[in-house]
Amino acid sequence: AADPGDCDDTDATVYPGAAEQLDGVDDDCDGMVDEGLLPFGSIVITEIMKNPDEVCDDDGEWFELHNVSVLDVNLYGLEVADLDTDAFTIDADLWLAPGDYAVIAASGDPAINGGVNADFAWEDFSLSNNGDDEIVLNFGGIELDRVVFGDAPWPDATGVAASLGWPGYDATAND
């Protein structure tokens, strides 16, 4: 009989309590893939819109993530926080193939967020448009990337996103 807690009865190495492997599979059946195994810098913050001008901040803020690893990565379970009290967890499957991008936004509705096609919309999070703030990505206890920003020398013009230029897509270039 099938084990109701086992997420893949066809693979004997996949079961609740199994050791997670860096293989793109949910080996321990906890709903997250490769948690705790993706190294720092495997998912990079490449663009931040902290002060939109077409719509209010609560609707128009967003940031972009880029998968620089060689694995397909499911961002389900990715924790996003600042160094204060704002935080959320991606609670839906959001797969990024190597080289893919995802936009994480305050609103998932392009009709009210300034026309942004968001891959995931957060709740209870805000990017400070008039001061210092941070975006910290944690996955399975590993910090993947951190961007700390403020007014200067960061671009702070209303309606302009701060973008990391190619080929500098790594977790230290966006600092």
Side-chain angles (χ1 to χ4, degrees):
D3 178 352
D6 191 340
C7 57
D8 187 353
D9 288 328
T10 65
D11 187 340
T13 65
V14 175
Y15 56 88
E20 194 67 52
Q21 305 294 315
L22 188 58
D23 57 6
V25 173
D26 179 12
D27 299 294
D28 58 4
C29 298
D30 67 352
M32 297 190 335
V33 176
D34 299 334
E35 72 276 6
L37 301 174
L38 289 172
F40 175 81
S42 53
I43 303 296
V44 176
I45 301 163
T46 53
E47 194 167 2
I48 301 171
M49 171 57 79
K50 68 176 190 151
N51 196 11
D53 67 351
E54 297 289 319
V55 297
C56 72
D57 287 353
D58 291 341
D59 295 326
E61 293 177 336
W62 55 266
F63 59 90
E64 177 186 74
L65 303 177
H66 178 60
N67 180 1
V68 297
S69 79
V70 296
L71 295 173
D72 289 337
V73 175
N74 187 353
L75 297 180
Y76 181 94
L78 179 74
E79 299 167 350
V80 180
D82 63 12
L83 299 177
D84 196 17
T85 60
D86 289 342
F88 69 91
T89 300
I90 294 181
D91 59 0
D93 285 330
L94 178 52
W95 284 94
L96 288 182
D100 275 357
Y101 297 84
V103 174
I104 313 300
S107 170
D109 185 352
I112 64 169
N113 72 11
V116 174
N117 291 315
D119 297 291
F120 184 84
W122 67 65
E123 292 182 25
D124 301 323
F125 191 76
S126 177
L127 302 175
S128 176
N129 65 344
N130 296 313
D132 300 336
D133 209 348
E134 314 81 24
I135 301 173
V136 182
L137 307 178
N138 285 293
F139 192 61
I142 304 293
E143 184 174 303
L144 299 180
D145 194 11
R146 174 188 300 229
V147 175
V148 178
F149 56 89
D151 286 334
W154 271 78
D156 201 31
T158 301
V160 178
S163 180
L164 186 61
W166 180 255
Y169 286 176
D170 69 61
T172 56
N174 63 9
D175 296 344

